[in-house]
Amino acid sequence: MRRAALTALLALCAAPAAAQSVFDRAAGLYGDAKDPALSCTANPHRLSFIDSPPHAFFTWAEPTPDAQGRMRSVDRYDLEGATDTTLLLELEGSPERSAEGQRPVWILRLSTDGYCWGRQDWPLIRCERPQVRCDQPVS
């Protein structure tokens, strides 16, 4: 009986862990790598997700100005798609438009220590506003 239990335990330990989704890997606490006012120590933000409808939420510890200078504590993005390392997002309520007159589709690109922002209408290598993890990365 002990041998069977030990064999089962070893099999469980040796089994590969279920692969984490991009959402599991992306969720967490972040700070701006370049802007001290939005750093992990000054005003970090939490990235979280809901399934229905699919949204990403960026929630700051303290209100911060958006691109139009309005103070906000939460940004809500429509989730338009995902790969193993990227999220395609549209910021709800944004007045910003692409050259084609559409809301821009933002690309959140995960890195080993955080993420950065690109857009579908930008060159692929352009990735701005790097953010670093404030909490421990999910392994």
Side-chain angles (χ1 to χ4, degrees):
M1 179 73 153
R2 287 179 69 188
R3 175 168 269 167
L6 182 58
T7 303
L9 180 60
L10 289 173
L12 266 174
C13 292
Q20 287 185 316
S21 74
V22 66
F23 307 106
D24 293 333
R25 289 191 319 275
L29 191 65
Y30 295 89
D32 196 292
K34 295 183 177 180
D35 185 347
L38 297 174
S39 68
C40 289
T41 55
N43 193 10
H45 65 278
R46 179 158 305 279
L47 174 54
S48 60
F49 302 93
I50 62 168
D51 292 335
S52 184
H55 284 100
F57 292 91
F58 296 77
T59 307
W60 282 265
E62 299 292 330
T64 186
D66 64 13
Q68 289 73 42
R70 298 174 300 198
M71 298 301 283
R72 91 282 193 226
S73 296
V74 178
D75 281 343
R76 181 170 65 185
Y77 285 78
D78 296 328
L79 181 59
E80 301 296 330
T83 70
D84 286 343
T85 58
T86 63
L87 301 172
L88 301 177
L89 305 164
E90 285 187 11
L91 179 58
E92 286 192 356
S94 174
E96 190 172 7
R97 295 291 182 252
S98 67
E100 295 79 30
Q102 303 297 317
R103 277 193 311 178
V105 175
W106 291 96
I107 304 170
L108 184 147
R109 292 189 179 104
L110 291 177
S111 64
T112 56
D113 61 349
Y115 69 86
C116 64
W117 288 103
R119 273 182 34 174
Q120 279 190 329
D121 58 335
W122 291 352
L124 186 59
I125 61 170
R126 184 175 172 187
C127 205
E128 299 181 349
R129 296 182 2 237
Q131 307 294 307
V132 294
R133 266 199 185 275
C134 303
D135 52 5
Q136 294 299 314
V138 179
S139 23

